[in-house]
C-alpha cells in the first residue's frame, strides 16, 4: 500500500568559518601556553565544521555528525568564550525558508543553527522510512518525536531569534507538525494491526488536533511574509480534516458497539462531511509539487486516492448503520452539535535532547573532548578544593585505622600475647636459645682489632702537635729576646717594633690550641678508661662472633645469671611432672590446651581483620588518588556556580562503601578484643598456669639482665669507635691547623730577621760615616791648637780635650738622609754605594750571592725568597706599623723562607761579651782604629757572630 507523504523541514546553509587562528590567539593570551601544541585540536574542530556542512539530511550518519559538532561546541563553550568581546568569530547562516543570510559573533547562534539542522535531519530521516515495515515504523515514530524535542530545545534555550526560521512562532509550528506526523505514524500502525476502535479514535483525534495547530501556525506565519511553502498549508489542512474524519469514523464504530446506534450514525455523517472537505483540499493540490517543499512529486495523487478510499468506507458503513437502525434499533439520530467531543490520547511526545542517545551512545557519537588538555582556571580551582575534601576524607579514615591498630597493639602488649602462650604450651626450653640481637652484636664485633693501636696513633698525633706548638713558642721567644737585646744595645736608634706587639695573636693561638689539646686529652682519658673497663667483654664477644659460638657465650651468661633454674621441664610439657593439662576443671569443664587454642584462634581473627583493614585503606587511597572530576566540573561549570559543595558531597559518596568496610572492621576488632581479654583472664586463673607463668617471668628477668649487660657492652663498643673516629678527626684537623700556625710563625720570625738585618746595616753605615766626621774635627782642633800657640790668646786646652775624648754620637737621620728599599723592605740611611753587610744572627740572613742582572737582591734559582715579598695571609704585614697579626686558616700554606732558617741560631741564654774599654784600636787620625785581629767591615767578618754589627760599632 502506498504510504502517506510526510513533511520534512529544509536545512539551514552556512558559509565557511576559520576556527584555528582565533582559538590559537586565545590560548596564547589567556592560558599562556604555546598555541602550536594545539595545532591538531584546532584543525580537528575546523575539519569537523567543514564535514558538518555536507551532512546528509536523510541518514543517521548526518545526524551523528551534526550532533558530534554540537557536542564539541558545548565542551568548547566551557573553555573559550566565543562572543563579540572575546573570541570574535563571525558565523553566517542562511534562513531555511527565506534563504536570507544572518551573521552573528555569538556561539549560541551557531549552536541554535546546528540544533535546527539536527531537527531537520531527523524529520527527513523519519519521512523516508518505509512504514510498511515494523522497523521503519519505529524509526519514523522515534525520529519525528526526536525532531520535535530538538525544536523544543531551541524555543526553551534561545530566546532572541536572529532569523525567521529560529523564531518562536516558526519553531512552534514545526513542533506541531513533527508531533502530528509522529501521532499519524502510530495511527497507521494501529489501524494496520487492527487495534480497538476506541484507541484508534483517540489517537486520530489527537493527530487532528496537532495538525489543526500546525495549520494555525502556518497561516499566522504566512500573513505578512510567505515563510512556509503553500503546499504545506494544503497538506496540513488535508491531514487535519482526514484525521478528524478518521476519529469520527472509529468513534462511530465504538458507539455502535456500545449500542449507541443513533450517535454512531450521526458521527458517520460528520465523518463523511469531513472526508468530502478533505477531498476538496486534495483536489486543490498542484499536480507539480515544488522540490523545495521536501514532498514527493505524486503527493496530490496519493492523497486523492487515500481520501476516496476513506469516503467509500464511510459511506458503506453509514448505509449499514442506517439500515440496522431502521429495521432493528429505531434510535433517534442526534444533531451534530449534540455529539460529544472524541477524547484525545497524546502518544507522540517530544523527546528531550538528553534522551536522544543513551549514555554510551552519546559518548560514542560526540567522542573525546577535543580540548581536554586545556583546563579552565576556575575548574582547576574547584578541582583543588575537591582534592582538599578528598585529602580530609583520607586523613580521617587513616587516623581511624591507625587508632584501631594502636588499640590492638596496646591490648596485646598488655596481655603479653602471643609470646606468653609459648610458655603455657611448654615452650620455655626454646627460650634458652640465643637471642638474635645478641648474635648480631657478636657478629659486628668479629674482625675488629684491639683499640690499642688507635690510642697509640692518637698519642703520636698529640706528641707531634705538642712538639710543633713548643717549636712555635721557642721561635717566638728567641726572636723576642734577640729584638730586646738589640734594643738595649742600640737604645732609641733601634726603631724596630717590639715583638710583643706583633706576636700577641700568634701566642694567643698557641695558648688556644694548647687548651684544646688539654680538653681533648680528658676525653681521651675517658675513652681509654672505657676501653680498659670492657676489654675482656669485647674479647669474648669478638671471639664468639669469629668462631660462630654466640650461643655458647649466651648460655654461659645465662647460667651465670641463674638461668639454669628455668631450664627444667615445664609443668605443662608432656614429660613434665604434675602435668594436669589434660584434666578438666570439673564436670563439663574446658582443658587448658583448648583454652589456648581458642585464644590463638581469636588472635588469628584479629590479625586477619587488621590485614583486611589495611588493604581496604590502601584501596581507598588509590581510588582517591585516581579520582579526577575535572570533566564533571567542566560539564557542570555553568550549573554548579556557588553550589560546589553539593557536587563534592555527591562525588565523595563513591567512597562510602570503603568507609563502611573500615568501620565494620573496627567494630569487629572491639568485639574480638573484649572476647580475647575475657578468655585470657579465665586461663590465667588456673593455679598451674600461674606457677608456669611465675617461672617464665623469672627466666625473662634473667634473660633481660644478660641482654641488658651485653647491650651496654655493645653500645660502649660503638661509642668507642665513634669517639676514636671523632678524636682522630679532631687531631687531624688540629694538626693541619697547627702546621699552618707553624708556617705563620716561621714567616713572622724570618720577616723580623730581615727587618732587623736591614736596620742593623743602616746603623752600621751610619756609624762608619760618624767615625769619618770625628777624624776631621780632631784634625781641625789640632790645627787650631797650633795656631793658638802662635797667637797671644790661645784657646783653652780643656775644651779641645773634652771634645777629643767624646765618642761619636749616634745621630738620627738628617734631612739629607733618604729612604731606600732593600729587597722590597724599607730602611733609613744614606744611599748604599755597595751591597750592605750581611750580618749573621737572629736578624740576619746567609751571605747574599751576586745579584742576577735585572733582579738585584734575589738569589739565583729561587733558593732564597725575600720574606718581605712573601704571600702573607690577609692582615699579616710585618713591615707595617702598627701591626695587628691574625692567624690564617688552618689549610693555608706558606713557602718557608729557606734562606733564613735556624741553622745559625744562638744557643738559649747566650749573652755576648762586653766590648773592650777605650776607643777601638787601630784608629787613624781622629777616628777609631780597627781592632787587631778583626777584619775590616768590607770583608764581612762576623757571619757566625750574631752581634758582629754591635761589636763593630763599639
Amino acid at each position: 500500500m502506498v504510504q502517506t507523504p510526510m513533511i520534512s523541514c529544509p536545512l539551514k546553509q552556512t558559509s565557511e568559518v576559520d576556527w584555528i587562528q582565533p582559538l590559537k590567539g586565545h590560548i596564547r593570551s589567556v592560558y599562556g601556553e604555546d598555541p602550536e601544541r594545539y595545532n591538531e585540536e584546532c584543525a580537528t574542530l575546523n575539519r569537523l565544521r567543514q564535514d558538518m556542512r555536507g551532512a546528509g539530511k536523510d541518514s543517521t550518519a548526518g545526524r551523528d555528525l551534526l550532533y558530534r559538532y554540537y557536542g564539541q561546541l558545548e565542551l568548547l563553550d566551557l573553555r573559550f568564550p566565543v562572543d563579540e568581546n572575546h573570541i570574535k568569530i563571525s558565523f553566517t547562516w542562511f534562513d531555511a525558508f527565506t534563504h536570507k543570510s544572518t551573521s552573528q559573533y555569538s556561539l549560541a547562534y551557531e549552536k541554535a543553527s546546528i540544533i535546527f539542522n539536527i531537527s531537520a535531519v531527523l524529520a527527513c530521516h523519519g519521512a523516508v522510512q518505509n512504514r510498511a515495515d515494523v522497523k521503519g515504523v519505529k524509526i519514523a515514530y522515534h525520529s519525528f518525536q526526536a525532531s520535535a524535542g530538538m525544536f523544543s530545545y531551541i524555543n526553551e534555550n534561545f530566546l532572541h531569534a536572529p532569523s525567521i526560521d529560529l523564531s518562536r512562532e516558526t519553531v512552534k509550528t514545526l513542533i506541531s507538525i513533527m508531533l502530528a506526523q509522529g501521532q499519524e505514524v502510530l495511527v497507521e500502525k494501529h489501524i494496520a494491526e487492527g487495534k480497538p476502535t476506541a484507541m484508534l479514535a483517540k489517537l486520530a483525534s489527537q493527530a487532528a488536533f496537532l495538525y489543526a495547530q500546525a495549520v494555525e501556525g502556518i497561516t499566522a506565519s504566512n500573513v505578512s511574509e510567505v515563510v512556509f511553502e503553500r503546499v504545506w498549508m494544503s497538506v496540513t489542512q488535508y491531514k487535519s480534516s482526514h484525521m478528524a474524519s478518521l476519529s469520527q469514523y472509529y468513534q462511530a464504530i465504538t458507539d455502535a458497539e456500545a449500542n449507541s446506534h443513533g450517535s454512531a450514525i450521526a458521527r458517520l455523517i460528520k465523518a463523511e462531511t469531513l472526508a468530502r472537505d478533505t477531498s476538496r483540499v486534495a483536489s486543490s493540490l498542484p499536480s507539480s509539487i515544488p522540490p523545495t517543499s521536501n514532498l514527493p512529486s505524486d503527493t496530490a495523487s496519493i492523497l486523492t486516492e487515500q481520501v476516496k478510499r476513506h469516503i467509500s468506507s464511510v459511506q458503506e458503513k453509514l448505509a449499514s448503520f442506517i439500515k440496522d437502525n431502521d429495521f432493528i434499533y429505531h434510535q433517534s439520530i442526534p444533531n451534530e452539535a449534540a455529539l460529544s467531543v472524541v477524547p484525545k490520547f497524546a502518544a507522540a511526545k517530544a523527546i528531550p535532547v538528553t534522551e536522544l542517545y543513551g549514555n554510551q551512545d552519546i559518548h560514542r557519537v560526540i567522542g573525546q573532548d577535543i580540548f581536554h588538555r586545556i583546563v579552565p582556571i576556575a575548574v582547576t580551582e574547584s578541582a583543588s578544593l575537591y582534592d582538599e575534601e578528598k585529602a580530609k576524607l583520607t586523613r580521617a579514615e587513616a587516623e581511624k585505622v591507625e587508632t584501631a591498630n594502636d588499640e590492638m597493639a596496646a591490648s596485646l602488649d598488655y596481655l603479653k600475647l602471643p609470646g606468653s602462650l609459648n610458655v603455657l604450651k611448654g615452650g620455655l626450653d626454646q627460650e634458652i636459645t640465643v637471642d638474635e640481637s645478641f648474635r648480631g652484636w657478636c657478629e659486628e664485633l668479629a674482625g675488629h682489632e684491639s683499640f690499642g693501636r688507635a690510642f697509640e696513633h692518637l698519642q703520636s698525633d698529640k706528641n707531634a702537635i705538642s712538639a710543633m706548638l713548643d717549636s712555635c713558642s721557642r721561635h717566638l721567644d728567641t726572636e723576642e729576646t734577640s729584638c730586646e737585646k738589640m734594643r738595649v744595645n742600640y737604645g732609641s736608634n733601634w726603631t724596630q717594633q717590639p715583638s710583643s706587639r706583633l706576636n700577641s695573636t700568634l701566642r694567643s693561638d698557641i695558648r688556644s690550641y694548647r687548651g684544646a689539646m688539654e680538653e681533648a686529652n680528658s676525653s681521651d682519658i675517658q675513652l681509654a678508661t672505657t676501653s680498659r673497663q670492657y676489654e675482656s667483654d669485647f674479647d669474648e664477644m669478638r671471639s664468639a662472633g669469629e668462631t660462630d659460638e654466640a650461643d655458647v657465650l649466651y648460655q654461659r651468661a645465662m647460667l651465670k645469671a641463674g638461668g639454669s633454674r628455668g631450664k627444667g621441664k615445664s609443668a605443662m610439657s608432656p614429660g613434665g611432672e604434675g602435668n594436669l593439662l589434660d584434666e578438666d576443671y570439673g564436670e563439663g569443664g574446658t582443658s587448658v590446651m583448648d583454652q589456648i587454642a581458642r585464644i590463638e584462634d581469636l588472635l588469628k581473627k584479629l590479625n586477619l581483620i587488621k590485614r583486611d583493614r589495611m588493604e581496604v585503606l590502601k584501596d581507598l587511597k588509590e581510588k582517591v588518588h585516581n579520582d579526577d572530576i575535572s570533566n564533571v566540573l567542566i560539564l557542570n561549570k555553568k550549573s554548579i556556580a556557588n553550589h560546589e559543595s553539593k557536587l563534592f558531597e555527591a562525588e565523595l559518596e563513591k567512597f562510602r562503601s570503603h568507609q563502611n568496610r573500615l568501620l565494620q572492621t573496627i567494630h569487629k576488632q572491639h568485639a574480638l578484643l573484649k572476647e580475647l581479654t575475657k578468655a585470657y583472664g579465665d586461663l590465667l586463673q588456673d593455679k598451674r598456669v600461674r606457677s608456669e607463668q611465675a617461672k617464665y617471668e623469672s627466666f625473662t628477668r634473667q634473660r633481660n639482665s644478660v641482654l641488658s649487660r651485653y647491650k651496654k657492652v655493645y653500645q660502649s663498643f660503638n661509642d668507642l669507635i665513634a669517639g676514636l673516629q671523632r678524636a682522630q678527626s679532631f687531631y687531624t684537623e688540629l694538626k693541619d691547623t697547627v702546621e699552618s700556625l707553624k708556617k705563620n710563625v716561621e714567616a713572622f720570625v724570618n720577616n723580623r730577621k730581615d727587618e732587623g738585618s736591614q736596620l742593623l746595616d743602616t746603623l752600621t753605615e751610619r756609624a762608619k760615616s760618624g767615625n769619618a766626621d770625628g777624624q776631621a774635627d780632631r784634625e781641625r782642633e789640632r790645627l787650631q791648637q797650633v795656631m793658638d800657640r802662635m797667637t797671644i790668646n790661645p784657646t783653652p786646652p780643656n775644651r779641645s780635650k773634652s771634645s777629643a775624648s767624646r765618642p761619636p754620637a749616634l745621630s738620627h737621620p738628617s734631612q739629607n738622609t733618604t729612604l731606600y728599599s732593600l729587597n722590597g723592605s724599607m730602611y733609613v740611611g744614606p744611599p748604599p754605594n755597595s751591597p750592605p753587610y750581611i750580618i749573621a744572627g737572629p736578624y740576619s740572613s746567609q751571605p747574599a750571592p751576586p745579584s742576577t742582572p735585572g733582579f738585584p737582591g734575589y738569589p739565583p734559582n729561587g733558593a732564597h725568597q725575600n720574606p718581605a715579598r712573601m704571600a702573607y695571609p690577609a692582615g699579616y704585614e710585618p713591615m707595617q706599623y702598627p701591626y695587628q697579626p691574625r692567624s690564617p686558616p688552618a689549610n693555608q700554606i706558606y713557602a718557608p723562607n729557606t734562606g733564613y732558617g735556624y741553622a745559625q741560631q744562638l744557643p738559649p741564654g747566650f749573652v755576648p761579651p762586653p766590648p773592650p774599654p777605650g776607643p777601638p784600636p787601630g784608629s787613624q787620625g781622629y777616628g777609631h782604629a780597627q781592632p787587631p785581629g778583626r777584619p775590616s767591615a768590607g770583608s764581612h767578618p762576623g757571619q757566625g757572630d750574631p752581634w758582629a754589627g754591635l761589636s763593630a760599632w763599639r
Side-chain angles (χ1 to χ4, degrees):
M1 188 177 81
V2 180
Q3 59 186 12
T4 306
M6 295 290 181
I7 296 175
S8 61
C9 180
L11 275 69
K12 292 171 68 66
Q13 301 299 318
T14 181
S15 59
E16 187 174 348
V17 168
D18 179 27
W19 278 104
I20 298 178
Q21 296 304 323
L23 290 180
K24 283 187 175 182
H26 187 78
I27 292 173
R28 180 187 297 107
S29 61
V30 175
Y31 291 100
E33 297 190 36
D34 183 9
E36 300 303 323
R37 296 178 53 206
Y38 299 93
N39 284 334
E40 183 178 354
E41 286 84 348
C42 296
T44 300
L45 182 64
N46 211 51
R47 185 171 56 253
L48 189 58
R49 192 179 192 280
Q50 296 292 341
D51 297 342
M52 173 273 301
R53 295 177 62 197
K57 65 180 182 179
D58 56 354
S59 64
T60 56
R63 176 201 64 184
D64 292 346
L65 187 58
L66 286 167
Y67 199 82
R68 183 186 178 196
Y69 179 62
Y70 171 76
Q72 292 296 336
L73 288 181
E74 288 287 356
L75 297 173
L76 184 77
D77 193 21
L78 300 173
R79 297 178 174 85
F80 299 94
V82 181
D83 53 35
E84 191 173 359
N85 299 322
H86 298 89
I87 302 178
K88 198 171 182 180
I89 300 177
S90 178
F91 301 103
T92 301
W93 287 85
F94 297 90
D95 193 288
F97 301 104
T98 64
H99 307 293
K100 294 181 179 180
S101 64
T102 303
S103 299
Q104 282 195 353
Y105 295 105
S106 173
L107 186 64
Y109 177 53
E110 176 85 350
K111 292 192 289 186
S113 300
I114 295 298
I115 293 176
F116 185 93
N117 278 359
I118 293 175
S119 301
V121 168
L122 289 169
C124 294
H125 188 55
V128 299
Q129 296 299 316
N130 180 15
R131 297 194 296 276
D133 183 36
V134 176
K135 182 178 179 181
V137 172
K138 290 181 178 180
I139 293 175
Y141 180 62
H142 179 271
S143 296
F144 287 131
Q145 293 182 99
S147 177
M150 298 299 286
F151 280 128
S152 300
Y153 185 79
I154 294 176
N155 265 359
E156 293 171 358
N157 294 276
F158 304 99
L159 303 179
H160 305 287
S163 58
I164 294 177
D165 54 359
L166 295 176
S167 66
R168 297 184 65 82
E169 294 76 13
T170 303
V171 174
K172 185 177 179 181
T173 302
L174 293 174
I175 293 172
S176 298
I177 293 174
M178 294 304 114
L179 290 177
Q181 292 184 149
Q183 191 85 5
E184 182 182 359
V185 170
L186 193 61
V187 170
E188 292 177 350
K189 177 178 179 295
H190 285 352
I191 291 174
E193 293 177 353
K195 296 291 183 180
T197 55
M199 175 62 69
L200 294 176
K202 294 177 181 179
L203 292 173
S205 177
Q206 175 68 17
F209 171 75
L210 293 172
Y211 274 122
Q213 285 186 334
V215 171
E216 292 178 1
I218 293 174
T219 302
S221 299
N222 289 351
V223 170
S224 59
E225 183 179 3
V226 177
V227 177
F228 299 102
E229 293 286 344
R230 293 187 182 275
V231 70
W232 281 26
M233 172 70 75
S234 300
V235 172
T236 52
Q237 286 178 345
Y238 169 88
K239 290 195 174 186
S240 176
S241 298
H242 181 65
M243 286 294 120
S245 177
L246 282 178
S247 174
Q248 294 296 335
Y249 174 77
Y250 287 113
Q251 186 63 37
I253 297 175
T254 303
D255 290 346
E257 292 175 354
N259 202 21
S260 296
H261 300 283
S263 297
I265 293 172
R267 290 187 183 281
L268 285 175
I269 294 173
K270 186 175 182 179
E272 184 180 7
T273 303
L274 292 171
R276 292 187 183 280
D277 293 339
T278 305
S279 178
R280 285 194 294 271
V281 173
S283 62
S284 66
L285 288 171
S287 58
S288 176
I289 302 297
T292 56
S293 64
N294 288 345
L295 289 170
S297 58
D298 55 349
T299 298
S301 60
I302 291 174
L303 295 180
T304 302
E305 291 296 327
Q306 183 188 40
V307 73
K308 285 181 180 180
R309 288 193 303 271
H310 177 59
I311 291 174
S312 177
S313 299
V314 171
Q315 291 176 347
E316 181 180 352
K317 186 66 70 175
L318 178 60
S320 176
F321 278 10
I322 291 174
K323 181 179 179 182
D324 291 342
N325 187 56
D326 291 343
F327 287 97
I328 301 173
Y329 305 112
H330 305 289
Q331 292 183 3
S332 60
I333 301 174
N335 294 328
E336 181 180 342
L339 294 175
S340 61
V341 178
V342 180
K344 302 178 184 64
F345 178 72
K349 299 179 181 179
I351 299 177
V353 177
T354 56
E355 298 179 9
L356 181 59
Y357 296 93
N359 289 333
Q360 295 181 354
D361 290 339
I362 194 169
H363 290 295
R364 176 185 58 81
V365 172
I366 296 178
Q368 186 183 20
D369 187 357
I370 294 178
F371 292 94
H372 66 276
R373 292 192 296 162
I374 296 180
V375 180
I377 298 176
V379 172
T380 303
E381 294 174 353
S382 299
S384 299
L385 296 176
Y386 179 68
D387 290 340
E388 181 60 29
E389 295 297 325
K390 292 191 300 181
K392 290 180 181 178
L393 184 146
T394 305
R395 286 195 297 268
E397 298 304 319
E399 288 177 0
K400 292 179 183 178
V401 170
E402 184 178 1
T403 302
N405 291 341
D406 292 343
E407 290 177 356
M408 176 178 169
S411 299
L412 295 181
D413 183 66
Y414 175 76
L415 298 175
K416 299 180 180 179
L417 290 174
S420 59
L421 292 181
N422 293 332
V423 181
L424 301 180
K425 293 189 298 183
L428 185 60
D429 290 343
Q430 285 78 25
E431 297 296 333
I432 198 66
T433 57
V434 63
D435 190 270
E436 289 302 321
S437 57
F438 179 81
R439 186 186 299 276
W441 300 338
C442 294
E443 290 176 354
E444 288 194 29
L445 263 69
H448 283 279
E449 297 182 356
S450 177
F451 293 106
R453 292 187 178 180
F455 283 108
E456 292 176 359
H457 190 269
L458 288 182
Q459 188 61 38
S460 174
D461 288 345
K462 289 192 289 186
N463 293 338
I465 295 171
S466 297
M468 285 190 288
L469 292 175
D470 293 341
S471 175
C472 291
S473 297
R474 188 165 57 252
H475 290 349
L476 293 176
D477 292 342
T478 302
E479 188 276 330
E480 185 172 354
T481 301
S482 300
C483 178
E484 294 307 318
K485 287 182 179 180
M486 297 299 285
R487 193 180 312 280
V488 170
N489 291 329
Y490 285 91
S492 60
N493 291 319
W494 189 258
T495 58
Q496 187 179 24
Q497 294 296 318
S499 299
S500 58
R501 297 182 183 179
L502 307 179
N503 62 15
S504 59
T505 301
L506 297 174
R507 291 187 181 276
S508 176
D509 291 345
I510 293 173
R511 288 193 299 271
S512 298
Y513 297 150
R514 289 190 186 276
M517 285 275 293
E518 293 174 359
E519 293 179 2
N521 188 56
S522 61
S523 299
D524 297 344
I525 293 174
Q526 293 179 2
L527 291 177
T529 303
T530 303
S531 177
R532 289 191 299 271
Q533 180 181 356
Y534 295 104
E535 185 175 3
S536 59
D537 295 326
F538 292 160
D539 293 339
E540 286 182 352
M541 295 181 71
R542 184 185 302 109
S543 176
E546 292 174 351
T547 59
D548 196 16
E549 294 181 352
D551 52 347
V552 177
L553 178 60
Y554 180 76
Q555 292 176 6
R556 188 164 61 244
M558 287 292 292
L559 292 175
K560 290 181 180 179
S564 58
R565 293 190 299 271
K567 277 196 68 176
K569 287 288 184 177
S570 173
M572 298 181 186
S573 60
E577 296 180 0
N579 184 4
L580 301 177
L581 287 178
D582 295 331
E583 295 185 5
D584 294 336
Y585 287 97
E587 186 175 357
T590 305
S591 65
V592 174
M593 292 304 296
D594 291 340
Q595 295 183 69
I596 292 176
R598 182 188 174 201
I599 292 174
E600 289 179 337
D601 183 60
L602 292 174
L603 289 173
K604 185 177 180 181
K605 290 181 180 179
L606 282 172
N607 290 328
L608 289 175
I609 288 176
K610 180 180 179 181
R611 184 176 65 183
D612 182 57
R613 182 166 56 237
M614 298 306 296
E615 290 178 354
V616 172
L617 179 62
K618 180 181 178 181
D619 187 46
L620 173 63
K621 289 181 178 180
E622 290 179 357
K623 289 186 178 297
V624 168
H625 178 72
N626 296 328
D627 183 34
D628 184 12
I629 64 169
S630 296
N631 290 333
V632 177
L633 293 172
I634 292 175
L635 295 176
N636 297 275
K637 178 183 176 183
K638 298 180 179 179
S639 62
I640 66 171
N642 301 324
H643 299 286
E644 295 177 345
S645 58
K646 295 182 180 179
L647 177 64
F648 293 165
E649 291 177 2
E651 290 294 329
L652 291 176
E653 283 296 320
K654 64 171 71 81
F655 307 117
R656 181 66 62 184
S657 59
H658 290 78
Q659 293 176 280
N660 293 335
R661 288 172 61 186
L662 291 174
L663 190 61
Q664 290 175 3
T665 59
I666 294 174
H667 290 331
K668 289 181 182 179
Q669 176 178 299
H670 288 163
L672 287 175
L673 284 175
K674 185 176 180 180
E675 185 178 356
L676 177 65
T677 303
K678 184 178 182 302
Y680 190 68
D682 294 340
L683 178 63
L684 294 180
Q685 294 302 317
D686 185 77
K687 60 182 181 180
R688 294 160 296 181
V689 174
R690 290 199 297 270
S691 174
E692 192 67 20
Q693 188 178 15
K695 293 180 181 179
Y696 177 74
E697 291 177 354
S698 175
F699 172 78
T700 302
R701 286 193 297 270
Q702 296 160 5
R703 182 188 61 182
N704 291 341
S705 175
V706 171
L707 291 178
S708 176
R709 173 180 170 233
Y710 281 99
K711 183 178 181 180
K712 186 176 180 180
V713 174
Y714 173 71
Q715 290 177 346
S716 299
F717 175 78
N718 289 333
D719 293 344
L720 268 175
I721 292 179
L724 288 173
Q725 289 177 349
R726 289 194 298 270
Q728 186 62 49
S729 176
F730 170 77
Y731 285 122
T732 300
E733 294 178 0
L734 184 60
K735 188 175 181 180
D736 294 340
T737 305
V738 172
E739 287 178 351
S740 178
L741 174 64
K742 182 180 177 182
K743 292 176 182 178
N744 291 342
V745 170
E746 291 176 353
F748 171 76
V749 171
N750 290 336
N751 192 69
R752 293 281 293 178
K753 284 182 183 180
D754 283 356
E755 185 182 8
S757 298
Q758 293 169 8
L759 180 58
L760 188 59
D761 290 344
T762 302
L763 294 178
T764 302
E765 292 294 333
R766 190 185 304 168
K768 291 170 61 178
S769 175
N771 290 338
D773 293 341
Q775 290 178 2
D777 291 342
R778 284 192 294 272
E779 181 64 22
R780 285 193 297 270
E781 186 176 357
R782 187 183 64 80
L783 293 176
Q784 183 65 38
Q785 290 176 359
V786 173
M787 295 299 295
D788 288 343
R789 284 195 299 268
M790 295 174 63
T791 61
I792 302 174
N793 296 320
T795 304
N798 292 335
R799 181 178 178 180
S800 62
K801 289 184 179 179
S802 61
S803 296
S805 61
R806 184 180 301 160
L810 296 176
S811 61
H812 293 282
S814 64
Q815 295 180 355
N816 296 328
T817 304
T818 311
L819 293 174
Y820 295 95
S821 174
L822 179 62
N823 294 336
S825 300
M826 304 300 298
Y827 73 94
V828 181
N833 297 323
S834 61
Y837 291 102
I838 306 302
I839 309 299
Y843 299 99
S844 64
S845 62
Q846 297 293 337
S851 299
T852 304
F855 296 90
Y858 284 92
N861 301 326
H864 167 255
Q865 181 179 359
N866 192 339
R869 293 184 178 268
M870 291 178 62
Y872 295 109
Y876 181 73
E877 178 56 55
M879 303 306 297
Q880 183 177 351
Y881 177 77
Y883 176 69
Q884 298 294 335
R886 295 291 185 272
S887 295
N891 57 356
Q892 187 168 344
I893 304 300
Y894 294 92
N897 193 345
T898 57
Y900 302 97
Y902 287 91
Q904 301 172 359
Q905 183 174 335
L906 294 176
F910 173 78
V911 178
S923 300
Q924 298 179 0
Y926 296 100
H928 298 283
Q930 186 74 16
R934 188 182 300 271
S936 63
S939 63
H940 304 275
Q943 295 189 7
D945 184 4
W947 307 111
L950 179 62
S951 300
W953 177 79
R954 288 176 178 175

